Amino acid sequence: SKYVAYLDDDDMYFPDHLHTLVSALESSSPFVYADAYQEAKKYENNKWNRISKTVKFSRDFDAGCLAENNYIPILCIGHRRDCFEQTGLFEEGFPNAMDWDLWVKASRVYDFKHIKNITSMYEYRLGPDSLSGRQLDNIFYSTILRKHHLYRARQIWKDIFSKADQGL
């Protein structure tokens, strides 16, 4: 297909999600993202119970901030398929956070368009056996930060020199 969108098995698109992404892709940036509800759940009494439903992330695109913190959930993104030619694919050796790594690689080449519209919902499970609950404790979090930190430092210096050249 011409476009790529992502959906994990415990996440949900709202009826207008794909239409919203495709409309933006056809009229603007090759990478777009909408907002989503985060449904936090905790395992109690032999079942997962919702403890909150919030919009945790709704931030306009900033490549530097994205290199430091993943504020774009995977189900929120849509992009042109041909972008993989510039970014490469997911890092196969990462057990999680490979989406964040791909977004940072893409942010080096493309600007992302933020669509301030809630079009989906993802689960965030709190518990000892939950991947989302332990993700920040995972060694791969620091691996991604180290991997992209040098790029972020180079961008900062490039911006400083550019402003200096302009007399700012």
Side-chain angles (χ1 to χ4, degrees):
S1 77
K2 187 176 177 181
Y3 302 116
V4 177
Y6 304 90
L7 181 65
D8 287 339
D9 64 339
D10 57 351
D11 298 340
M12 178 176 42
Y13 287 166
F14 295 161
D16 64 335
H17 178 73
L18 291 174
H19 176 73
T20 300
L21 295 180
V22 169
S23 293
L25 286 165
E26 290 182 347
S27 65
S28 64
S29 176
F31 265 83
V32 299
Y33 63 100
D35 293 335
Y37 286 115
Q38 179 192 70
E39 183 178 47
K41 292 185 172 183
K42 187 173 185 178
Y43 196 73
E44 297 174 321
N45 302 322
N46 295 324
K47 64 179 181 174
W48 288 100
N49 299 298
R50 180 193 301 176
I51 58 173
S52 69
K53 180 181 171 185
T54 60
V55 177
K56 184 172 181 183
F57 305 106
S58 180
R59 178 183 195 132
D60 286 338
F61 178 68
D62 181 320
C65 290
L66 186 59
E68 296 171 6
N69 183 30
N70 186 13
Y71 63 87
I72 308 175
I74 191 168
L75 79 160
C76 296
I77 287 270
H79 62 86
R80 290 192 333 241
R81 184 174 58 107
D82 63 1
C83 292
F84 285 133
E85 294 169 14
Q86 293 292 320
T87 64
L89 301 173
F90 288 109
E91 289 284 340
E92 293 183 26
F94 288 4
N96 62 24
M98 64 286 266
D99 55 331
W100 179 22
D101 179 63
L102 184 61
W103 306 163
V104 174
K105 288 190 298 188
S107 73
R108 294 179 185 184
V109 181
Y110 304 106
D111 284 329
F112 292 31
K113 178 182 176 162
H114 177 207
I115 304 161
K116 295 180 184 182
N117 188 10
I118 301 168
T119 62
S120 57
M121 183 167 60
Y122 64 96
E123 285 190 13
Y124 185 83
R125 293 185 174 189
L126 303 169
D129 296 331
S130 167
L131 182 60
S132 56
R134 348 179 271 269
Q135 185 168 348
L136 294 180
D137 295 329
N138 195 297
I139 192 168
F140 292 96
Y141 179 79
S142 60
T143 301
I144 290 173
L145 286 176
R146 276 195 311 277
K147 177 180 177 182
H148 296 292
H149 177 74
L150 183 57
Y151 166 74
R152 176 71 175 129
R154 287 182 184 145
Q155 282 298 112
I156 290 169
W157 283 109
K158 181 180 173 185
D159 292 346
I160 288 171
F161 286 122
S162 175
K163 289 179 181 176
D165 290 342
Q166 297 172 18
L168 301 175

